[in-house]
Amino acid sequence: MPLSRDTKYIKSISGRVSVIGMGTWGMGGGFWSPNYSNDEDWVRALRRGIELGMTLIDTAEMYGGGHAEELVGRAIRGFPREELFIVTKVWPNHARYDDVIKSARASRERLGTYIDLYLLHWPAPDVPICETMRAFEKLINDGIVRFVGLSNFDVGGIEDARHCFSKYDIAAVENRYSLLHRVDEASVIPYVQRNGMLYLAYTPLEKGEFASNEFLRRVGTKYGKTAIQVVLNWYVNIDNLVPIPKAGRVEHVEENAGAMGWRLSREDWEAISNHFRVK
Ligand code: NAP
């Protein structure tokens, strides 16, 4: 039986990913600084999430100065590699051609495996986008990464990057999106959907704020689900979109995985959507 039983097909990668992923910001340290104090718990949480079918994992070279990638590398050991989808990112200070290559190789070392999706973490204003994309092409050619994408980009920026490619294309975009942060509904999400790309929604739990939301809790009682499971399932119903809630604790991971394998009714989905829409 495959690890992930609730998946969505994404045309740009010609394959399926779990409908909910796992984020790792704050695990293994902070902004370029490692923290080794909780390694066993972090690895345990990620392994539990994989067991429960959240096989897409998001990390970055910046997270803990690479230590988050090391934790991901430890957590995935022993699982069938082809069932996992590992996402990592290069920080914009490494967006020059040679630096991108160096960063990706270092990430691969820390992960102990190839990278499924490699993202430019933020736009790098001082580096021509085509220079970074040229390095991305080289990484695909060399088998270090399978797909490439962008994080924190608008449609104009995505189009600029796509124009750099002759052989490949942008497969994914990772931006901030939640029920309370819906800017991308106007342009980036429809664009990504039209082009068959993957959209990774970061900070989907608004840092945990939804846990105590009374409206979501009330909807959840119909399904025997928590407020967090309702909001995550709301994202599951959006084409091409995968939320990546932070996966730092076993109890959170177990709760988040409970958002898979069922669906909100159309009426409840609409009611939630309208309730949180900024009037
Ligand atoms: P988030 O997932 O919306 O919220 C994380 C917070 O929610 C943490 O405090 C976590 O608790 C808590 N949490 C997780 N599951 C919970 C549950 N079931 N019930 C209650 N609270 C829960 O925000 P995020 O970490 O900012 O975003 C998610 C991921 O997106 C990151 O981990 C990172 O991988 C990625 N990201 C990417 C970018 C980018 O620029 N590309 C930017 C930000 C984030 P604990 O702290 O106790 O674990």
Side-chain angles (χ1 to χ4, degrees), residues 11-39:
K11 194 166 161 232
S12 63
I13 63 165
S14 307
R16 308 188 74 84
V17 288
S18 55
V19 294
I20 296 176
M22 296 195 283
T24 61
W25 166 239
M27 296 161 63
F31 189 78
W32 288 113
S33 63
N35 168 357
Y36 302 93
S37 65
N38 214 8
D39 284 7

Side-chain angles (χ1 to χ4, degrees), residues 252-278:
H252 284 165
V253 159
E254 289 179 342
E255 180 174 12
N256 299 349
M260 298 189 293
W262 60 284
R263 295 293 183 270
L264 287 163
S265 70
R266 196 72 218 165
E267 296 72 42
D268 285 333
W269 190 92
E270 292 288 354
I272 294 167
S273 188
N274 292 333
H275 180 84
F276 287 92
R277 201 178 291 286
V278 180

Side-chain angles (χ1 to χ4, degrees), residues 24-25 58 151-152 174 203 205 207 244 246 249 256:
T24 61
W25 166 239
D58 177 74
S151 181
N152 299 297
E174 177 173 318
T203 318
L205 301 180
K207 302 282 175 194
I244 46 169
K246 181 183 173 192
R249 293 171 196 261
N256 299 349

Side-chain angles (χ1 to χ4, degrees), residues 39-205:
D39 284 7
E40 300 314 312
D41 287 345
W42 286 319
V43 168
R44 198 171 318 124
L46 288 168
R47 288 186 69 80
R48 183 72 183 128
I50 296 169
E51 277 166 14
L52 292 172
M54 295 189 291
T55 49
L56 181 151
I57 308 176
D58 177 74
T59 188
E61 64 167 352
M62 178 273 277
Y63 298 175
H67 188 47
E69 291 178 328
E70 290 170 347
L71 294 174
V72 172
R74 277 181 59 189
I76 64 177
R77 251 177 247 158
F79 288 106
R81 178 63 184 88
E82 65 285 358
E83 289 194 37
L84 305 172
F85 195 81
I86 310 296
V87 184
T88 193
K89 319 182 196 79
V90 57
W91 195 246
N93 67 333
H94 294 151
R96 289 269 171 213
Y97 184 91
D98 289 343
D99 296 333
V100 173
I101 306 290
K102 224 165 102 189
S103 280
R105 288 180 186 277
S107 289
R108 183 186 57 173
E109 279 307 302
R110 289 188 290 265
L111 290 163
T113 182
Y114 61 86
I115 296 157
D116 290 288
L117 175 64
Y118 199 48
L119 307 173
L120 175 57
H121 206 143
W122 284 88
D126 301 331
V127 182
I129 188 70
C130 287
E131 179 174 339
T132 311
M133 295 303 109
R134 253 194 325 113
F136 276 15
E137 271 191 319
K138 163 94 174 138
L139 292 171
I140 299 175
N141 285 337
D142 291 352
I144 293 170
V145 319
R146 293 175 61 219
F147 301 102
V148 294
L150 304 163
S151 181
N152 299 297
F153 274 66
D154 60 16
V155 168
I158 299 166
E159 295 242 279
D160 289 345
R162 294 184 79 192
H163 284 130
C164 304
F165 291 106
S166 47
K167 198 163 152 201
Y168 305 115
D169 197 357
I170 293 298
V173 177
E174 177 173 318
N175 280 359
R176 180 163 187 183
Y177 179 72
S178 82
L179 262 177
L180 289 170
H181 191 100
R182 298 169 74 167
V183 181
D184 274 3
E185 282 178 11
S187 55
V188 179
I189 293 174
Y191 179 88
V192 160
Q193 289 169 332
R194 270 198 312 278
N195 288 283
M197 297 168 176
L198 171 65
Y199 183 97
L200 295 172
Y202 78 69
T203 318
L205 301 180

